[in-house]
Amino acid sequence: MASLKRPLEGLTVLDLTQMLSGPYATQILGDLGANVIKVEPPKGDHTRSLPPYFHKGESAYFLSINRNKRSIVIDLKKEQGKEILLELVKKSDVVIENFRPGVLDKLGLGFDILRTANPRIIKCSISGYGQNGPRRDQPAYDMVIQAISGGMSLTGEEGSRPVRAGIPIGDLCAGMYAVIALLAELRRVAETGVGTEIDISMFDVQISMLCYLAVYYLISGEVPKPQGRGHISIPTYRSFTAADGLDVLITANTEEMWQRLCNALERPDLLEDPRFTLNKDRLAHKKELLDILETEFRKKTRAEWLDILTRHEIPNAPVNTVAEALADEQTSARNMVVQLEHTLGGIVRLIGNPVKIAGVEDVYECPPLQGEHTRRILSEMLGYDNDKIDQLVAEGVVSQWEGTAC
């Protein structure tokens, strides 16, 4: 089968984002083939210098979310800088930013100005609380949003203090919703020829992701407690500690799976116990059941249980560390860890693109150096000659990578 083009080839995205939510969104767009132009301030994206790990002076944090992009440095506080950006807007389809609400307006680059330059432009804003509401101007980062949205109150063991999710779901999920919205609006613009604004709030996204736990509360009035390592509705949907101190997770969430679990545990007597006949009974006697299951799982090692549970067709998994997950054979089979040659030399390993499309090959370009493509972008997209670019560099309107690559 011939290799197909990536689905977003031909789409140009001006990426004014920094930190995590916005760069994560634009990396997805870049993976799907969009021409993503990362517009950086003179000091660069804040995460370029974020410790503790670096490759050739480039932060591992930055490397993790900025592949398949080109970098141009423009000082948007200078009038010429704003003029250059608006010229780029004329050649682009999307502008995505994650400044605090109102910052672009103060710079003289609000949606009305962008739309005047290009009536088809889509402007997508990602912010902590959205473009309106009483918290609009409050600063917000991932953990702030996890806390205020209620998500932290659900994370951890019952009776313990709330903890953040181990992965930055406030940022990452907002980035994914931004991509969903952009793809939807691109279709509308293709039909109408009229651009629009998208307003993605990290807070809104996390409220929506409370999902059934929020509806449980809205219907019952009972405030959900920390979910720990189990499920509020299904006692046999949780992890248990094996004899070697490692955890194994099971999801025996049907009556047939419950029966198979009892056989796997060599406890057929549990099937005759009226406390555990149906899931509603097991839920009513959850503490007694969990005491029994914890005791049983302590009798064998994790590896032994994984083999037994698999043979009994009970969905299971080891509770892996990050190292174990990245070394898993499924990770390799799905090409979810990729190797890239870094511009400054050496190999960096990054996480692969999870979107697999038949006939479409993944393309991975190393995250750009700060201003690495300034000259090329100004020349190719705007037709500037070297003398003009040199003058802009001398005046500090734009800047370019000045180091020496291998």
Side-chain angles (χ1 to χ4, degrees), residues 18-216:
Q18 295 191 51
M19 298 304 291
L20 182 52
S21 61
Y24 187 71
T26 53
Q27 178 169 275
I28 295 172
L29 297 172
D31 286 348
L32 294 174
N35 171 29
V36 178
I37 299 172
K38 185 175 180 67
V39 181
E40 300 189 61
K43 292 184 179 180
D45 186 319
H46 297 312
T47 64
R48 285 187 178 275
S49 59
L50 195 64
Y53 306 112
F54 295 86
H55 176 87
K56 304 292 185 179
E58 295 286 290
S59 169
Y61 191 111
F62 177 85
L63 293 173
S64 73
I65 49 173
N66 283 288
R67 66 166 174 256
N68 289 335
K69 304 176 187 181
R70 298 192 293 166
S71 170
I72 181 172
V73 176
I74 306 175
D75 188 345
L76 296 180
K77 293 181 180 179
K78 295 182 181 291
E79 285 304 316
Q80 277 187 291
K82 284 182 271 193
E83 290 170 7
I84 290 171
L85 184 76
L86 290 174
E87 287 188 64
L88 290 172
V89 168
K90 293 176 184 178
K91 307 280 187 175
S92 303
D93 303 286
V94 171
V95 173
I96 181 168
E97 57 94 5
N98 62 348
F99 296 111
R100 286 196 200 180
V103 168
L104 278 188
D105 292 309
K106 290 178 181 178
L107 286 172
L109 293 169
F111 181 61
D112 288 342
I113 302 297
L114 301 181
R115 183 169 52 185
T116 299
N118 181 354
R120 298 176 62 91
I121 200 72
I122 299 172
K123 173 177 173 280
C124 178
S125 299
I126 305 173
S127 62
Y129 297 104
Q131 302 299 307
N132 66 292
R135 297 190 185 276
R136 171 185 183 268
D137 297 318
Q138 293 182 11
Y141 291 93
D142 176 85
M143 199 171 352
V144 172
I145 295 301
Q146 286 196 39
I148 198 169
S149 69
M152 274 182 68
S153 76
L154 303 171
T155 308
E157 294 288 348
E158 188 171 348
S160 67
R161 305 305 304 166
V163 295
R164 68 181 287 263
I167 57 176
I169 58 174
D171 277 315
L172 300 184
C173 294
M176 287 189 285
Y177 265 91
V179 172
I180 292 169
L182 279 168
L183 296 179
E185 284 304 313
L186 283 168
R187 180 175 180 181
R188 186 201 301 275
V189 171
E191 294 175 349
T192 66
V194 179
T196 189
E197 286 186 277
I198 297 170
D199 174 10
I200 299 295
S201 156
M202 293 168 64
F203 178 79
D204 294 354
V205 170
Q206 288 304 298
I207 290 293
S208 77
M209 295 188 73
L210 294 174
C211 196
Y212 64 84
L213 290 169
V215 178
Y216 280 10

Side-chain angles (χ1 to χ4, degrees), residues 246 302 318-328 331:
L246 301 175
R302 182 177 77 173
V319 180
N320 279 337
T321 63
V322 171
E324 289 171 324
L326 295 181
D328 192 275
T331 304

Side-chain angles (χ1 to χ4, degrees), residues 234-238 240 250-253 258 261 279 282 289 293:
I234 309 168
T236 51
Y237 194 109
R238 64 178 285 122
F240 296 92
I250 63 170
T251 56
N253 56 359
W258 163 244
L261 177 62
N279 186 67
R282 296 191 289 276
L289 176 60
L293 296 179

